[in-house]
Each structure stands twice: as C-alpha cells, then as structure tokens.
Amino acid sequence: MPEDCLPFVRGILRVALYAGITAFLFLLMYIDAVTTGTFGETSLVEIAQSVILFVITAIFVSCALRVSALTRSAWLLATFAAASLIRENDIWLDMLHEEGWQILATPVIAAGLFYTWRHRAAFLAEQRVFTESMSFGLFVSALMTTYVFSRLFGMGRFWRSVMQDDYLRPIKDMSEECLELFGYGLMLCAAIEFIALARRLAAEARAA
C-alpha cells in the first residue's frame, strides 16, 4: 500500500471503530427499551455509563504511567473521569452516607487540581499540542453532550411544554440517560485518540 494512503486508511478505521462503539451503545438502549422499558440505576444504559467511565479512567491512568508524553494532562483527565464515575454511582454511595459521592469525589478532584498546579508549566506546554488535536475536540464534544446538552434536554419544564397533558416522566429520563451514554461514548473515543496522540509524540521524541 502506498505510504500516502496510510493516513486515509487510518482515518477510515477510526470512523469504523467509533461507529461501532456508537452502534453498540444504541443496542444497549434498544435492549432496555424492549425488555424492561426503564432506564433506572440497574438498566444496561446506567451500567454501561459506569463501565465506560471506568475504562476511560483506566486508559488515562495507563497513559500517564506508561507513556512519557502528555503525562500531566493524562493525570488531570484521569481524575476528572474518576470523579465522574463516583458521581454516576451517587445513588449507591448515598446509601452508605448522605453525602457519600461528594466525600469520595472531592479529594480526587483536589488531587488532580493540585498535581496540575504543581506541574503547571509542563501542563501548559502540553496544551499547545493537545488543544489542537482530535482528542481535544472529541473531549469537548463529550462534555457539551453529557454535562450541558443532556441536562438542558432533560429539563422537566421542557418536556411538559412538549408533551403537555401527555407528559410522562420515564420518557424524559430515557432521553437524558441515553444522551449521557452517548456523551460518555464520545469521551471514550477521545480517550482512544489521546493515547494514540501521546504514543506518537513519545515516538517522535525518541526519534529526535
């Protein structure tokens, strides 16, 4: 295969991989819809959210420990994903303590911010590359989908205006949870792109 074609082929493979991830996430939504019709804490959608966040955290931790490039960014993103995982399981943690998830998430976030501040010069240097990458674009898209749009889209007032007298809370919850899952899927794609970028930068540094 001509070397000029390799970037195009890699791009096609990325599209296929990310399309596969998206289709799989929809399959989980579909299974929940046709079996139980609910999207509660024990649904496949909710379980998948936690699993994906765990995988994302593991990817960033592995990158921070094993790849020399973008280490500071990887640690910050790992703590963010870990805190999101804790928040996603708030209903279970609150059974142990009224503010269970806050108690666990706060030191995780504080540790990430402290580490970033301590290594702020190296962190800012990494952003010259990271903020121009596909990983950053996907990560921002994930944040907008999960933490902004899904919250706005899931507003009860919005759904009452749309459905009026036919308002059903499960429909609102379903839309919000499915959007969150899609956002976490985008974040997983961003994590995959991140580790690919970090490996490429590390290889270029070794070759220089």
Side-chain angles (χ1 to χ4, degrees):
M1 178 182 298
E3 189 171 335
D4 292 344
C5 294
L6 290 179
F8 176 75
V9 172
R10 285 195 292 265
I12 293 298
L13 291 176
R14 279 181 165 89
V15 171
L17 173 61
Y18 301 152
I21 291 173
T22 303
F24 178 73
L25 296 182
F26 176 76
L27 176 62
L28 298 180
M29 302 174 197
Y30 184 79
I31 292 173
D32 276 340
V34 300
T35 54
T36 63
T38 61
F39 296 82
E41 298 300 325
T42 58
S43 65
L44 291 178
V45 167
E46 285 280 2
I47 294 171
Q49 290 175 2
S50 294
V51 170
I52 290 174
L53 284 171
F54 178 82
V55 172
I56 292 170
T57 303
I59 288 175
F60 284 130
V61 170
S62 175
C63 186
L65 293 174
R66 302 177 62 182
V67 185
S68 58
L70 301 180
T71 300
R72 286 80 185 178
S73 300
W75 277 121
L76 181 62
L77 292 171
T79 56
F80 173 81
S84 297
L85 175 60
I86 294 169
R87 173 64 181 84
E88 195 60 46
N89 290 275
D90 60 335
I91 190 171
W92 310 113
L93 295 171
D94 287 347
M95 292 180 181
L96 302 175
H97 191 278
E98 184 178 355
E99 299 178 347
W101 79 267
Q102 293 98 325
I103 293 173
L104 290 178
T106 299
V108 171
I109 295 172
L113 293 176
F114 175 76
Y115 177 85
T116 302
W117 174 255
R118 186 177 180 183
H119 301 277
R120 56 189 178 277
F123 174 80
L124 291 174
E126 292 176 1
Q127 302 317 297
R128 298 171 188 170
V129 177
F130 176 55
T131 54
E132 299 294 328
S133 69
M134 183 185 298
S135 176
F136 181 78
L138 285 169
F139 196 80
V140 171
S141 298
L143 293 180
M144 295 302 103
T145 301
T146 300
Y147 299 98
V148 180
F149 185 71
S150 73
R151 299 293 188 269
L152 297 174
F153 195 67
M155 289 174 57
R157 182 179 300 178
F158 169 75
W159 283 93
R160 290 188 183 92
S161 298
V162 172
M163 305 180 75
Q164 299 183 15
D165 293 339
D166 297 321
Y167 172 73
L168 295 171
R169 174 75 184 260
I171 301 299
K172 181 196 80 71
D173 293 341
M174 175 274 295
S175 65
E176 186 173 2
E177 294 301 332
C178 290
L179 271 173
E180 282 188 22
L181 179 59
F182 176 66
Y184 290 139
L186 288 176
M187 197 179 297
L188 175 60
C189 297
I192 294 172
E193 287 292 331
F194 183 91
I195 199 166
L197 173 65
R199 287 177 174 174
R200 177 173 63 80
L201 292 174
E204 290 175 356
R206 289 193 299 268

